[in-house]
Amino acid sequence: MLDRIRAIADRLTPRLIEIRRHLHSHPELSGQEYQTAAYIAGVLSSCGLKAQELVGKTGVVAELPGSGQRQDILALRADMDALPILEHTDIEFVSQKPGVMHACGHDVHTTVGLGVAMVLAELDTALPGPLRFIFQPAEETAQGARWMVKDDVMEGVEAILGLHVYPSIPGKNIGIRYGALTAAADDLEIYIVGESGHGARPHEAIDAIWIASQVVTTLQQAISRTHNPLRPVVLTIGQIQGGRAPNVIADQVHLTGTVRSLHPETHQELPQWIESIVAGVCQPFGAKYEVRYRTGVPAVMNDPTLSKLIEVCARDVCGPERVQLISEPSLGAEDFSVYLNHAPGSMFRLGIGFADEANYPLHHPRFKVNEDAISTGVTTLAWAMYRYWQTTQAKSAVSSSII
Ligand code: NI
């Protein structure tokens, strides 16, 4: 069967490269992916799949029923939004929309998702169970997965797979991660209110800038002393605003930041811990404060059995030397984790690096993709999705070993 999948994927590759280039030159921002959605629906219907549009605002969902032996659904998620970045590459199919760019490779994710659907549509009756293809908007704003889940895309789903391109892994290579792949990411706002006064008479005022400086310093120091160093936390204050004149003591400071963590317990403790530090610094000096903590996306925790399925299939497709195990998680965030509240899943990294030119990071205006990766991604995922049915026993069997 792998030979058949490979042959179909090879035949489709020129078309898939066309699709990827079309998507790349017509990027749309998060939540505005209307043309992208219509294009995806068009491609799906051209290969016999019925697409449901406007799911989760601008998302698209399609299904392959399979032969009916199994009812539990395996899903594949591909995100489709672009970033507010002015593209600065030399490619022919450069973005037609100045200031909007597929700089995170979601054009490739969508293309691979379409490619897998096209390959498996040709094998539909050979599949024991149903597959669901989820084309998700607004990943960059961490909203899209929640929109899709709200519209019931996880109904009946027993397992979900996903991918993200990665420039530091060479093209035609795949990276597999067991355990945490990305971090929980939360937003933080702190308001500190003191009392204004003359810059020369600090004892008659409450200096909000000095207190805010203590808050920033104490947060950073306390993290290293009060959290288990084997459970990483990163707290970054990225903005600080306050004060009106050099000789006037500021009465208000506004701080904003991001908080990243990997361990669920740590993640739960953080809002209260931050509040207690801020309170401890402000109270002795008579400053008032408010902490607004917004929980964002959880960490992506890959299911070991599904990671093993992808690893085994990637070795079959790419050869063992092109499959690497990723030793460290990233403290970046991915809203793929939202689906994992509903079913186990695994996300892998698809290498898109070039051997002979500079590889710029994700979200960079010069970010470029080695398109050889497309057929690698399609073949590996199509093979893994086909094999899923052979390697799991029955409903909820994803926890059993597939080795
Ligand atoms: Ni991304």
Side-chain angles (χ1 to χ4, degrees):
M1 183 56 82
L2 176 55
D3 286 344
R4 202 169 147 205
I5 288 173
R6 213 191 284 273
I8 303 171
D10 285 351
R11 166 164 52 78
L12 291 173
T13 294
R15 169 83 180 113
L16 291 173
I17 287 175
E18 253 175 53
I19 289 171
R20 189 257 154 171
R21 293 183 176 189
H22 174 90
L23 291 168
H24 190 87
S25 57
H26 299 86
E28 289 176 299
L29 291 174
S30 308
Q32 300 170 27
E33 305 90 337
Y34 294 99
Q35 285 172 11
T36 307
Y39 181 78
I40 291 169
V43 173
L44 289 166
S45 65
S46 75
C47 58
L49 278 93
K50 210 170 149 246
Q52 202 187 335
E53 284 184 72
L54 301 176
V55 184
K57 299 201 179 174
T58 44
V60 182
V61 174
E63 276 188 26
L64 280 174
S67 69
Q69 274 170 262
R70 295 266 289 262
Q71 303 303 317
D72 42 329
I73 301 168
L74 172 63
L76 172 63
R77 177 273 213 165
D79 45 9
M80 53 200 254
D81 54 328
L83 285 157
I85 291 175
L86 181 63
E87 180 161 1
H88 206 68
T89 66
D90 54 2
I91 55 177
E92 288 160 33
F93 49 96
V94 67
S95 168
Q96 303 292 301
K97 284 189 194 159
V100 185
M101 177 190 179
H102 270 295
C104 198
H106 298 190
D107 50 342
V108 176
H109 305 165
T110 296
T111 305
V112 169
L114 287 169
V116 175
M118 289 156 97
V119 170
L120 295 178
E122 296 196 26
L123 304 179
D124 186 22
T125 51
L127 300 167
L131 297 176
R132 184 173 295 161
F133 297 92
I134 299 172
F135 296 92
Q136 178 210 303
E139 193 284 326
E140 296 294 353
T141 53
Q143 294 169 296
R146 285 198 177 92
W147 295 344
M148 296 302 275
V149 167
K150 209 167 158 225
D151 277 359
D152 297 329
V153 300
M154 290 302 280
E155 202 68 45
V157 170
E158 280 294 304
I160 183 162
L161 305 179
L163 76 156
H164 206 295
V165 297
Y166 217 65
S168 61
I169 299 177
K172 293 187 173 181
N173 283 240
I174 276 178
I176 305 288
R177 170 78 187 155
Y178 287 85
L181 179 74
T182 59
D186 303 330
D187 293 331
L188 175 65
E189 272 188 277
I190 303 170
Y191 296 88
I192 292 166
V193 180
E195 220 169 289
S196 193
H198 196 293
R201 302 185 63 79
H203 54 293
E204 292 171 359
I206 299 173
D207 185 348
I209 284 185
W210 172 68
I211 292 168
S213 314
Q214 298 303 313
V215 165
V216 174
T217 311
T218 310
L219 282 170
Q220 297 303 348
Q221 290 176 344
I223 272 186
S224 80
R225 301 294 86 190
T226 57
H227 284 284
N228 181 344
L230 299 176
R231 294 180 179 177
V233 182
V234 170
L235 190 158
T236 293
I237 299 293
Q239 274 182 314
I240 177 163
Q241 286 168 323
R244 286 182 298 276
N247 56 353
V248 177
I249 289 175
D251 61 347
Q252 286 190 31
V253 173
H254 179 217
L255 307 145
T256 67
T258 181
V259 187
R260 310 292 171 112
S261 62
L262 285 180
H263 198 277
E265 256 174 53
T266 312
H267 187 213
Q268 242 180 0
E269 291 163 7
L270 281 166
Q272 223 192 336
W273 180 83
I274 289 169
E275 174 120 20
S276 71
I277 299 287
V278 176
V281 174
C282 289
Q283 277 162 355
F285 305 110
K288 297 193 181 96
Y289 67 89
E290 188 183 335
V291 177
R292 289 189 193 166
Y293 194 96
R294 273 183 303 272
T295 305
V297 296
V300 169
M301 298 297 288
N302 279 339
D303 176 84
T305 307
L306 293 168
S307 292
K308 189 75 192 173
L309 170 68
I310 299 172
E311 185 193 343
V312 167
C313 293
R315 286 183 196 280
D316 291 345
V317 169
C318 312
E321 69 288 352
R322 291 184 189 271
V323 180
Q324 44 180 280
L325 296 183
I326 300 163
S327 58
E328 291 175 352
S330 149
L331 290 180
E334 217 331 316
D335 78 356
F336 182 71
S337 56
V338 171
Y339 300 102
L340 304 184
N341 289 334
H342 303 267
S346 183
M347 172 174 262
F348 67 94
R349 286 183 179 162
L350 179 64
I352 50 157
F354 294 93
D356 51 0
E357 56 178 296
N359 291 301
Y360 292 94
L362 299 169
H363 295 208
H364 193 285
R366 292 185 194 274
F367 170 76
K368 263 168 55 170
V369 167
N370 179 345
E371 290 177 328
D372 289 346
I374 291 172
S375 72
T376 306
V378 169
T379 313
T380 300
L381 265 172
W383 180 226
M385 293 181 88
Y386 172 78
R387 292 258 296 157
Y388 171 78
W389 307 109
Q390 300 176 328
T391 52
T392 56
Q393 301 292 311
K395 216 166 187 260
S396 303
V398 282
S399 57
S400 70
S401 172
I402 62 142
I403 308 164

